[in-house]
Amino acid sequence: MDKIAIVGASQTKYERRKKGEIFYDMIYEVTTKAMEDADYTLEDIDNVITVSNDFLDGRTISCMAVQEAAGAHDKNVSTIEGDGAFGAFYGAMRVLGGFGTTLVVAHSKGSEGDPKIITNAMFDPIYHRLLGLDAISSSALQASVYMERYGITEQQCALVSVKNHKNAKNNPYAQLPMDITVDDVMRSKKIADPIKLLDCSPISDGAAAIIIANEKRAKKARTKPIWIKGVAHCSDAYFLGDRDLADPISLKDASKKAYAMAGIKDPMSEIDVVELYDAFTYMEPLWLEGMGICDAGQGGQLIEKGITVMDGKLPVNPSGGVLSAHPVLVAGLVRIIEAALQIRGEAGDHQIKGAKTALAHGINGPCGQSHCVWILGSK
Amino acid sequence: MGIDRKDTELLTVTFDKGMPYEWSIGKYGSRFFQEIKEHKRFLGTRCPKCGRVLVPPRRICGPCFQELDELVELSDTGTIMAFSVVNYPFIDPATGIQRPIPYTYGYINIDGSDNIFSHIINETDANKIKVGMKVRAVFKESQEMEGNIQDIKHFEIIR
Ligand SMILES: [Zn+2]
């Protein structure tokens, strides 16, 4: 693969309800900030990828309404209707395909629609929607399968909530910085067994943007280029019942491909920091297993041993993760931004010292139907 | 006993409930509707680079990628640039009630602006309406206004 890099990145603060801002405002903010970050002007942007979803935005062909705010007037612009990590994948492909640079912009406002109705609408209208299956209840099924199979405990999952909300205290963009205990999580309201309130990510509004450039154009940027060493995405079956929910094979496949591209043989020792898509606490150990960071069923112990805390052997979600801010579609792009900031050494109070190789991860579809895995590096 | 495949009645499943949304109107849009309520006038924004005045007010001029912060007071009058007398039923998405047909959809250049504003013209006889005619906005009574585009009842032709 030709050398391509992330040369600009920006995000909004994540909030429960940005009442004063329309999509346009959030997108304009991150677009201008990402260009400032790279010290690029609009002339340096060769094409634009927007990320949006019609049900979330409440608008048919939602991409068309936001292009001008992303600086796309008179430019080649295309769209991903899904998580921002996949939008970035498309952006990277466009740079590999001949564009010198791509701007990738994602936005969403969980506050404007009804997340239960919108996530219910992910499912099959004939067999599943009328049952009420949505993001939370489907994830509760996945948590149940996973915990039952391997004896993962609710306390182990609670530790993820405690760690990530604590990490969020060092991230000025996070929505839910909190000092909480395992007991607080265990005593929080039961939402859908075994998931409790503090196992869930919040409803959020926000936007994020990155600029990807080829080697030549990366030299024009102010920032230290963060090289894309490996990236892959793979997808699994649509119907939950056609998948083994405790065995994320599409994540295993995507990880293997990304590692092979990046020349990584032992992810645990070669990766310095992970930013993954923890929409619910159980996802963190499950995804770490899928990534081959530990063996199947060992995710709970990995958390318990403190390996994933800020000063652990492999810090996971130093930003506070999706549990601390969950702008849908934006969240996977944020993982890439956070991974890039870590390698730049610009992650502020949640910086992992000396991070040179980072893994960023996004998911699409219910219960991680598809996974996108990124390996970013300083060289 | 086998399974009879020949006499399968083809079924469908029907959902007929709408999805609710609460969209922010934003700072400029909110000012736009407040000006209508308080002063029965339109507000636009002027691009400092190309000079265009856009109504409703926008934060960005797309071609210039320029932030617009100059608010411009506009008249309640304009010129018909295009129109169509619509004869098929339309269900108002906010109320679920069908609008009486026919109705006339108008493309109106508000005096003092450089783009086209869309609204209803209260003339449904296509022979009595022409491109180039002057129109004036007719507003609801202030106390009936709700801060949305229907606070403008319609535009009427100035004869
Ligand atoms: Zn302009």
Side-chain angles (χ1 to χ4, degrees):
Chain A
M1 187 175 85
D2 290 344
K3 284 189 86 176
I4 58 172
I6 295 165
V7 297
S10 80
Q11 51 186 321
T12 63
K13 180 169 172 55
Y14 305 107
E15 296 170 283
R16 175 64 180 81
R17 175 90 174 106
K18 285 183 183 288
K19 194 175 181 186
E21 286 164 78
I22 57 175
F23 302 142
Y24 227 72
D25 295 314
M26 300 193 304
I27 291 165
Y28 182 69
E29 178 189 336
V30 293
T31 299
T32 48
K33 271 164 56 184
M35 290 195 299
E36 277 167 31
D37 185 41
D39 197 19
Y40 274 8
T41 67
L42 204 55
E43 283 71 50
D44 296 311
I45 305 297
D46 286 4
N47 84 109
V48 178
I49 302 290
T50 60
V51 173
S52 68
N53 172 290
D54 294 4
F55 279 17
L56 276 168
D57 281 10
R59 199 175 306 204
T60 308
I61 328 180
S62 51
C63 55
M64 304 310 283
V66 298
Q67 296 173 355
E68 285 185 338
H73 183 90
D74 222 17
K75 289 190 195 295
N76 181 316
V77 51
S78 190
T79 299
I80 286 287
E81 187 262 355
D83 180 59
F86 298 78
F89 189 95
Y90 187 15
M93 281 165 58
R94 288 189 137 206
V95 175
L96 291 168
F99 284 107
T101 61
T102 306
L103 170 75
V104 182
V105 185
H107 73 274
S108 88
K109 290 183 84 175
S111 70
E112 299 202 336
D114 183 324
K116 288 192 206 70
I117 295 177
I118 290 168
T119 63
N120 172 254
M122 278 194 291
F123 291 95
D124 183 75
I126 300 165
Y127 295 105
H128 296 142
R129 269 200 231 178
L130 290 165
L131 308 175
L133 212 54
D134 66 4
I136 297 173
S137 53
S138 61
S139 297
L141 285 175
Q142 184 171 41
S144 168
V145 173
Y146 173 51
M147 292 163 80
E148 175 72 26
R149 171 116 17 115
Y150 296 116
I152 305 289
T153 66
E154 290 187 48
Q155 283 82 359
Q156 287 171 333
C157 293
L159 280 168
V160 175
S161 181
V162 172
K163 166 179 75 73
N164 290 359
H165 288 298
K166 184 180 169 200
N167 290 352
K169 289 170 68 186
N170 294 319
N171 177 4
Y173 298 106
Q175 181 181 338
L176 287 182
M178 288 195 286
D179 265 320
I180 50 169
T181 64
V182 168
D183 270 359
D184 292 333
V185 182
M186 294 301 291
R187 281 198 302 260
S188 64
K189 190 179 168 197
K190 283 219 176 248
I191 302 290
D193 197 55
I195 289 175
K196 299 165 293 299
L197 184 65
L198 290 173
D199 289 308
C200 302
S201 53
I203 293 167
S204 311
D205 289 356
I210 63 169
I211 301 168
I212 301 172
N214 66 18
E215 192 173 10
K216 186 175 156 212
R217 299 287 288 281
K219 290 197 176 90
K220 269 199 74 183
R222 175 194 67 83
T223 46
K224 179 171 125 184
I226 302 305
W227 301 105
I228 298 166
K229 311 295 291 178
V231 59
H233 86 70
C234 295
S235 197
D236 203 344
Y238 175 52
F239 277 21
L240 298 181
D242 296 356
R243 279 189 245 161
D244 181 347
L245 291 177
D247 183 18
I249 53 169
S250 55
L251 176 56
K252 285 180 178 169
D253 290 344
S255 302
K256 273 183 205 146
K257 286 180 180 161
Y259 296 158
M261 284 173 81
I264 287 177
K265 290 182 180 66
D266 176 15
M268 183 62 160
S269 64
E270 292 175 67
I271 294 167
D272 300 315
V273 57
V274 173
E275 278 282 342
L276 59 73
Y277 206 114
D278 54 329
F280 298 91
T281 51
Y282 76 87
M283 286 186 175
E284 191 162 303
L286 180 56
W287 299 160
L288 288 168
E289 293 172 20
M291 289 166 188
I293 302 291
C294 62
D295 290 336
Q298 298 300 305
Q301 284 175 45
L302 193 79
I303 307 291
E304 221 166 48
K305 286 179 187 157
I307 288 166
T308 60
V309 299
M310 280 299 286
D311 55 359
K313 186 166 185 296
L314 180 59
V316 177
N317 288 344
S319 68
V322 179
L323 283 176
S324 301
H326 192 181
V328 178
L329 307 187
V330 181
L333 192 60
V334 177
R335 309 281 69 76
I336 294 171
I337 291 171
E338 286 291 341
L341 292 178
Q342 289 290 351
I343 300 168
R344 277 193 201 168
E346 293 179 6
D349 290 342
H350 60 289
Q351 179 67 45
I352 302 302
K353 215 175 150 206
K356 288 191 175 62
T357 303
L359 185 156
H361 161 252
I363 61 175
N364 233 354
C367 301
Q369 183 185 347
S370 56
H371 292 262
C372 193
V373 175
W374 292 70
I375 303 295
L376 303 179
S378 57
K379 285 209 248 332
Chain B
M1 212 170 74
I3 294 164
D4 181 5
R5 298 190 190 213
K6 275 186 232 132
D7 293 324
T8 303
E9 184 194 350
L10 294 174
L11 306 173
T12 60
V13 60
T14 305
F15 294 2
D16 62 1
K17 295 287 178 286
M19 286 176 125
Y21 289 96
E22 185 197 55
W23 292 289
S24 286
I25 291 175
K27 285 171 190 133
Y28 286 1
S30 299
R31 191 67 246 159
F32 176 72
F33 290 119
Q34 276 162 34
E35 284 293 317
I36 288 175
K37 188 177 166 74
E38 289 161 16
H39 305 293
K40 296 195 171 171
R41 70 180 176 202
F42 295 129
L43 208 59
T45 40
R46 190 191 318 273
C47 175
K49 209 162 163 185
C50 69
R52 282 199 308 167
V53 173
L54 299 175
V55 59
R58 240 63 59 78
R59 186 170 162 196
I60 303 143
C61 175
C64 301
F65 200 59
Q66 176 77 43
E67 192 156 1
L68 315 181
D69 57 10
E70 186 193 344
L71 295 170
V72 184
E73 239 178 73
L74 299 170
S75 160
D76 62 349
T77 58
T79 305
I80 299 173
M81 308 304 283
F83 67 92
S84 176
V85 179
V86 180
N87 280 296
Y88 64 91
F90 171 79
I91 306 292
D92 183 323
T95 62
I97 296 165
Q98 187 187 313
R99 173 180 295 161
I101 49 171
Y103 62 91
T104 302
Y105 191 69
Y107 248 35
I108 297 158
N109 171 231
I110 302 287
D111 292 338
S113 76
D114 297 298
N115 66 336
I116 308 288
F117 187 77
S118 315
H119 216 280
I120 306 297
I121 298 167
N122 73 333
E123 174 56 70
T124 54
D125 182 346
N127 295 317
K128 292 185 181 165
I129 178 166
K130 281 192 175 58
V131 167
M133 280 178 156
K134 296 294 288 182
V135 287
R136 173 176 283 117
V138 178
F139 299 98
K140 280 185 184 167
E141 292 302 321
S142 295
Q143 62 270 20
E144 289 170 15
M145 287 189 182
E146 295 175 82
N148 64 41
I149 197 67
Q150 290 169 339
D151 288 352
I152 308 159
K153 281 160 79 174
H154 52 251
F155 281 74
E156 63 181 13
I157 296 167
I158 305 170
R159 296 192 193 269

